[in-house]
Amino acid sequence: MQLLPTRHDRRARTHLRAAALAIAWGLLCAGASAMAAEKTVGHTVVIEGARFEPETISAKRGDTIVWINKDPYPHTVTAPGVFDSHSIIAGSSWRYVARKAGDFPYSCTLHPNMKGVLRVE
Ligand SMILES: [Cu+2]
């Protein structure tokens, strides 16, 4: 019988504390993302055939807009000085949270004839 904690006991307790912290942190994060998900309003722009569909998308401040590239080659969603997705590879997407109100014309830097407008109220 031992009265003093052994080295093994101490280590076990440290592990337990680390595990408890990890669980608490996980719950905190899950809660925060659930709250964020409730508030988020999403809009989708599909990029297909080198066109933005719809060409003009209306959103409110705080909304998230997702551009999905369905073409087999990359595109960008670029409003100089406002936002820039850089290359969105085939089959990938890019999301942007509209923070500022206004009309933001954007284009694809790889295909400058591809144009769209993000309208934020
Ligand atoms: Cu393009």
Side-chain angles (χ1 to χ4, degrees), residues 29-106:
C29 290
S33 60
M35 271 191 291
E38 269 170 40
K39 273 192 248 167
T40 302
V41 177
H43 305 273
T44 303
V45 178
V46 173
I47 309 172
E48 200 165 20
R51 289 191 56 224
F52 296 110
E53 182 56 46
E55 210 172 278
T56 299
I57 186 100
S58 296
K60 293 204 160 43
R61 276 186 295 170
D63 290 358
T64 299
I65 300 94
V66 183
W67 281 264
I68 301 170
N69 182 10
K70 292 195 173 175
D71 275 337
Y73 44 88
H75 292 291
T76 80
V77 173
T78 309
V82 187
F83 53 80
D84 188 359
S85 67
H86 299 284
S87 187
I88 306 169
I89 61 167
S92 191
S93 66
W94 180 71
R95 62 184 55 223
Y96 173 71
V97 179
R99 296 277 178 224
K100 228 167 68 173
D103 278 11
F104 303 102
Y106 65 87

Side-chain angles (χ1 to χ4, degrees), residues 8-20:
H8 178 81
D9 288 338
R10 271 202 300 274
R11 204 179 321 159
R13 237 175 297 151
T14 308
H15 277 218
L16 217 68
R17 207 171 351 177

Side-chain angles (χ1 to χ4, degrees), residues 74-75 108 110-111 114:
H75 292 291
C108 170
L110 304 170
H111 314 98
M114 284 175 66

